[in-house]
């Protein structure tokens, strides 16, 4: 079984400032890692994913995340945020190919990012 | 192309009534997932379909919950004898069916049980 911990429930930040949303995971097997964003009253949209290879992953809207296997972390970063980035962000894991979870996602509790002008 | 659609967008029902929630996945996506999002529990996996079969129903919270998928496409999640703790947003997602592929989410059905 896997578990995901998002260390901050809320992150306030000013426009054009950098931001980091933290995510740690626990798993006894190899995993894939994802970040999703949810705007108010909408479904989840994939920001980026890590399957293998380079540990630095770039996604949409200028976001990137770095996979750190030794620290079991997958923190999300953006060098300069915009008002439109205000949303809830979810970190998720799934068992890697060859397992039995069929891509089922286990989510963290979410981090609400609020960008102030 | 069209994304994942869900209906109804909102549903208010009385305790004890049955409800049906519908999901139309992206055409050609063989995998379909149901999740539940609630304030107390966050996002929880409910059930997974590959084609019309459901190899993983481990997330269904009780036998009041059931789901089916027909023609490898539309899925219906049914909740019988609804309880107030069933109030949540029910999200459907579809993917091409291979681990690691992105799951595309619908807008959800917001269920309120009075």
């Amino acid at each position: 079984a896997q578990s995901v911990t998002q260390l901050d429930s809320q992150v306030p930040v000013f426009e054009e400032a950098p931001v980091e949303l933290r995510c740690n995971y626990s798993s006894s097997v190899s995993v894939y890692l994802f970040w999703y964003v949810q705007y108010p009253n909408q479904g989840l949209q994939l920001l980026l994913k890590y399957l293998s290879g380079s540990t630095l992953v770039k996604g949409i809207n200028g976001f990137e995340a770095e996979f750190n296997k030794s620290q079991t972390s997958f923190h999300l970063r953006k060098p300069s945020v915009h008002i439109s980035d205000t949303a809830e962000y979810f970190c998720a894991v799934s068992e890697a190919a060859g397992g039995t979870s069929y891509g089922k996602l286990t989510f963290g509790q979410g981090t609400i990012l609020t960008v102030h002008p | 192309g069209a994304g994942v659609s869900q209906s109804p967008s909102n549903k208010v029902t009385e305790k004890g009534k049955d409800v049906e929630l519908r999901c139309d996945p992206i055409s050609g996506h063989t995998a379909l997932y149901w999740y539940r999002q609630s304030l107390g529990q966050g996002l929880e996996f409910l059930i997974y379909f590959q084609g019309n079969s459901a190899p993983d129903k481990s997330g269904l919270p009780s036998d009041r919950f059931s789901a089916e998928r027909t023609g490898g496409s539309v899925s219906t999640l049914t909740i019988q004898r609804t309880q107030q703790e069933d109030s949540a947003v029910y999200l459907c997602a579809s993917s091409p069916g291979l681990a690691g592929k992105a799951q595309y989410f619908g807008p959800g059905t917001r269920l309120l049980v009075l």
Side-chain angles (χ1 to χ4, degrees):
Chain A
Q2 297 86 42
S3 66
V4 180
T5 302
Q6 291 183 241
L7 298 164
D8 305 295
S9 59
Q10 296 191 56
V11 173
V13 65
F14 286 107
E15 193 173 19
E16 298 183 6
V19 70
E20 178 179 82
L21 307 184
R22 297 180 293 168
C23 171
N24 285 88
Y25 70 93
S26 173
S27 178
S28 58
V29 299
S30 295
V31 295
Y32 296 145
L33 295 149
F34 305 82
W35 275 98
Y36 281 84
V37 60
Q38 186 176 35
Y39 299 101
N41 299 314
Q42 295 187 26
L44 281 76
Q45 179 183 3
L46 180 69
L47 276 177
L48 47 78
K49 63 181 179 180
Y50 172 79
L51 304 184
S52 65
S54 173
T55 57
L56 183 64
V57 180
K58 294 190 182 297
I60 63 171
N61 300 341
F63 284 93
E64 63 181 32
E66 185 158 19
F67 170 58
N68 187 317
K69 187 174 183 179
S70 63
Q71 297 186 6
T72 60
S73 68
F74 191 54
H75 300 332
L76 181 71
R77 303 185 183 101
K78 186 169 182 178
S80 176
V81 294
H82 303 290
I83 297 287
S84 59
D85 292 322
T86 295
E88 189 162 15
Y89 293 79
F90 292 92
C91 181
V93 301
S94 71
E95 192 172 315
T100 58
S101 68
Y102 311 105
K104 172 178 72 176
L105 292 171
T106 299
F107 289 90
Q109 290 296 316
T111 297
I112 297 173
L113 173 65
T114 304
V115 181
H116 298 284
Chain B
V4 178
S5 61
Q6 293 185 246
S7 61
S9 54
N10 290 280
K11 177 71 177 179
V12 181
T13 190
E14 294 178 349
K15 178 181 173 181
K17 300 285 189 182
D18 297 352
V19 296
E20 285 189 352
L21 312 180
R22 176 187 169 105
C23 172
D24 278 278
I26 292 172
S27 177
H29 280 191
T30 57
L32 186 147
Y33 306 80
W34 284 97
Y35 296 88
R36 179 169 72 172
Q37 185 174 25
S38 58
L39 281 176
Q41 302 298 323
L43 273 157
E44 306 170 280
F45 166 81
L46 296 178
I47 188 169
Y48 157 75
F49 286 93
Q50 179 60 38
N52 290 337
S53 64
D56 190 349
K57 306 179 184 179
S58 62
L60 294 178
S62 76
D63 58 8
R64 296 186 295 105
F65 288 71
S66 63
E68 64 175 12
R69 189 179 185 194
T70 55
S73 181
V74 171
S75 176
T76 302
L77 177 68
T78 301
I79 310 173
Q80 295 179 309
R81 306 181 302 282
T82 52
Q83 303 295 312
Q84 289 183 332
E85 61 262 29
D86 299 334
S87 296
V89 177
Y90 290 82
L91 292 166
C92 175
S94 71
S95 84
L98 300 175
K101 293 294 184 183
Q103 292 184 24
Y104 295 85
F105 283 80
T109 292
R110 188 174 301 273
L111 174 66
L112 178 61
V113 182
L114 301 176

